[in-house]
């Protein structure tokens, strides 16, 4: 893969920066475009210390027309598009901003790809937000789309554009519909990642709040495993939406007890009324990833939590 050039939008963020490290380890030339609204240069510390100029960073908003010029200059073979407004609750407070970044920003990326003759776009889609609450669990990709937030709509609509650009302009795509990704560099102050929220509260010995009775489930997939699906998508999975998860449902309460055990947190959780619009059960079927990417996750939650908690301790 050495001669390849990959552009990562949102590469200063949680998943993006872990992806950048893996791409560089594969010997791939990496360019990052990120406006740093949520990500940080510290996430790219090891990438930026590369001595062989295999890496470049550009502070750039994906909504900006300058992205087209930038892509035209860098001429990547593949764009991995991860830049997004990722907060589901924020998408309800400000759906206009959500659609601007997640939908219009993605159209900008596709237009840039079309004008520069980019061969493939690998898109960071959201499995949890795409299928809503009515699909059977674990949910396969052919389940009807039932987004229950502006975020689910904006992220889901991009899938139609990807398919259209493939038909009209021959730009290949793979859309990775990820479940709940966790691991080092996930924003501990974020509003939406339960593992980060629990971990940062437990490490300060603060109270931990659970909304509802804690029986709601999530499919937690470790970031290293997730990033591996992106790498496989460089050559495989063309024209497909592919779930990236574990098929395993973990209740929020079980997560609480496992993290308490690993951190040595001794308080009980405080239960609060459940929040409207929250998905009750979520886990993704990953047969398509096995069949088309030769991918499956290998990190158990209890194992993946260890480096995640170690990283949180250093923050
Ligand atoms: N974390 C998860 O569990 C999860 C699950 C499913 C899908 N996703 C998707 O994966 C992608 C990465 O998510 P993450 O968890 O790493 O989030 P993150 O917030 O850490 O990363 C997003 C990055 O995009 C950048 N960004 C935001 N708006 C931008 C803009 N207008 N122009 C340029 N850069 C911009 C941010 O600065 C940040 O570095 C997102 O597209 C998200 O929707 C994440």
């Amino acid at each position: 893969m050495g001669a390849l050039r990959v552009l990562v939008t949102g590469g200063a963020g949680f998943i993006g920066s872990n992806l950048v490290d893996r791409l560089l380890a594969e010997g791939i030339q990496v360019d990052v475009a990120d406006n740093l609204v949520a990500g940080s240069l510290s996430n790219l510390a090891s990438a930026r210390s590369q001595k062989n100029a295999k890496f470049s960073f550009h502070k750039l908003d994906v909504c900006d027309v300058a992205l087209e010029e930038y892509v035209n200059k860098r001429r990547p073979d593949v764009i991995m598009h991860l830049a997004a407004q990722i907060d589901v609750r924020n998408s309800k407070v400000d759906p206009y901003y959500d659609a601007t970044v997640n939908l219009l920003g993605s159209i900008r990326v596709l237009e840039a790809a079309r004008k520069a003759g980019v061969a493939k776009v690998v898109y960071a889609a959201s499995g949890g937000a795409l299928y809503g609450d009515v699909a059977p669990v674990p949910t396969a990709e052919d389940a009807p789309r039932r987004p229950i937030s502006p975020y689910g709509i904006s992220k889901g609509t991009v899938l139609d554009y990807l398919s259209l650009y493939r038909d009209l302009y021959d730009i290949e795509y793979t859309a990775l519909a990820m479940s709940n990704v966790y691991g080092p560099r996930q924003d501990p102050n974020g509003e939406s990642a339960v593992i980060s929220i629990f971990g940062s509260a437990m490490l300060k010995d603060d109270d931990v709040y659970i909304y509802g009775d804690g029986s709601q489930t999530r499919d937690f997939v470790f970031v290293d495993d997730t990033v591996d699906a992106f790498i496989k998508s460089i050559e495989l999975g063309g024209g497909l939406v592919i779930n990236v998860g574990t098929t395993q449902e973990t209740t929020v309460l079980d997560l609480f007890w496992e993290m308490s055990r690993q951190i040595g947190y001794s308080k009980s959780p405080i239960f609060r009324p459940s929040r409207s619009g929250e998905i009750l059960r979520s886990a993704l079927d990953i047969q398509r990833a096995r069949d088309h990417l030769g991918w499956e996750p290998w990190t158990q939650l209890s194992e993946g939590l260890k480096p995640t908690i170690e990283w949180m301790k250093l923050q």
Side-chain angles (χ1 to χ4, degrees):
M1 292 195 196
L4 267 181
R5 182 168 206 123
V6 173
L7 168 63
V8 183
T9 74
F14 159 50
I15 302 172
S17 65
N18 280 286
L19 174 59
V20 166
D21 288 347
R22 172 73 193 273
L23 288 163
L24 289 169
E26 299 287 339
I28 295 168
Q29 178 85 41
V30 182
D31 300 308
V32 166
D34 194 305
N35 67 356
L36 299 179
V37 71
S40 71
L41 288 180
S42 61
N43 285 341
L44 292 168
S46 93
R48 293 171 86 215
S49 67
Q50 299 264 324
K51 291 200 176 66
N52 50 7
K54 277 260 182 195
F55 173 79
S56 79
F57 172 82
H58 293 266
K59 188 170 178 208
L60 201 51
D61 192 315
V62 289
C63 299
D64 196 327
V65 68
L67 184 85
E68 295 184 7
E69 200 182 311
Y70 172 68
V71 172
N72 199 36
K73 223 160 67 191
R74 308 309 290 183
R75 296 263 157 188
D77 302 289
V78 178
I79 297 179
M80 299 202 168
H81 177 40
L82 289 85
Q85 183 299 117
I86 66 156
D87 190 325
V88 175
R89 262 172 288 154
N90 195 38
S91 79
K92 293 179 191 161
V93 176
D94 195 348
Y96 186 88
Y97 175 70
D98 177 84
T100 302
V101 178
N102 292 359
L103 183 52
L104 297 183
S106 297
I107 295 172
R108 176 75 71 205
V109 168
L110 281 169
E111 275 297 277
R114 176 177 74 81
K115 290 175 184 169
V118 174
K120 182 163 188 177
V121 174
V122 181
Y123 175 60
S126 168
L130 194 60
Y131 308 118
D133 225 353
V134 286
V137 177
T139 309
E141 295 85 347
D142 56 5
R145 284 193 221 163
R146 292 274 158 68
I148 56 171
S149 65
Y151 172 82
I153 294 174
S154 64
K155 295 289 292 184
T157 304
V158 174
L159 303 179
D160 296 330
Y161 276 91
L162 289 165
S163 173
L164 184 74
Y165 271 64
R166 184 177 194 251
D167 290 347
L168 292 182
Y169 309 119
D170 231 12
I171 301 174
E172 191 53 283
Y173 78 89
T174 300
L176 298 175
M178 297 174 276
S179 59
N180 288 67
V181 186
Y182 72 97
R185 300 186 191 150
Q186 191 158 33
D187 183 359
N189 305 310
E191 293 291 310
S192 49
V194 62
I195 288 180
S196 292
I197 294 166
F198 281 8
S200 63
M202 286 177 180
L203 288 166
K204 287 184 265 177
D205 207 33
D206 286 348
D207 290 334
V208 171
Y209 299 99
I210 291 181
Y211 295 87
D213 62 5
S215 65
Q216 64 271 45
T217 63
R218 294 291 178 267
D219 178 348
F220 296 106
V221 62
F222 190 53
V223 68
D224 288 2
D225 306 20
T226 306
V227 156
D228 189 54
F230 278 84
I231 301 294
K232 292 189 157 62
S233 298
I234 291 173
E235 286 175 353
L236 301 170
L240 291 172
V241 177
I242 301 180
N243 284 344
V244 171
T246 69
T247 74
Q248 304 288 318
E249 283 181 85
T250 301
T251 69
V252 166
L253 203 52
D254 281 344
L255 173 72
F256 172 88
W257 293 122
E258 178 59 25
M259 292 188 72
S260 294
R261 190 184 66 75
Q262 292 201 18
I263 289 174
Y265 180 77
S266 54
K267 292 182 178 173
S268 296
I270 297 173
F271 291 95
R272 291 222 163 137
S274 53
R275 290 187 285 218
S276 70
E278 196 188 348
I279 292 172
L280 295 180
R281 290 182 64 198
S282 180
L284 300 180
D285 180 286
I286 56 164
Q287 194 54 46
R288 188 177 283 180
R290 289 195 183 99
D291 292 345
H292 290 271
L293 295 181
W295 177 89
E296 59 180 6
W298 61 87
T299 308
Q300 294 294 323
L301 180 60
S302 57
E303 286 306 306
L305 282 174
K306 290 177 191 164
T308 308
I309 291 168
E310 283 315 306
W311 181 85
M312 287 176 188
K313 284 181 183 165
L314 298 173
Q315 301 316 298

